[in-house]
Amino acid sequence: MVWNELGVSGGTALIVLCALYFVVKWAVRNGIMEARARIAAGKKGGLRELWEAIAAEETVSE
């Protein structure tokens, strides 16, 4: 097998692959959390802010 040709035993290869899996999983999770935080920072209040903006437009146009 390829691992034996490289001088790596099956157990060591399994540990390395598991570690690689968890590192990639951690990186993807953190990337998603950071993207969600950036999106949430762009929103300033949702429906409440929308209603306030509509109310402000109504009072200005009157």
Side-chain angles (χ1 to χ4, degrees):
M1 191 166 204
V2 176
W3 298 109
N4 290 337
E5 293 175 8
L6 294 173
V8 178
S9 68
T12 304
L14 182 63
I15 292 170
V16 169
L17 289 176
C18 286
L20 182 62
Y21 167 78
F22 285 110
V23 167
V24 170
K25 181 180 174 183
W26 173 78
V28 169
R29 181 175 157 254
N30 283 348
I32 290 171
M33 289 173 58
E34 183 178 338
R36 180 184 281 172
R38 286 184 182 182
I39 291 169
K43 296 179 182 175
K44 298 193 179 180
L47 291 175
R48 183 177 182 103
E49 184 179 36
L50 178 62
W51 283 111
E52 290 174 358
I54 292 171
E57 286 180 11
E58 289 177 359
T59 58
V60 170
S61 63
E62 293 180 351

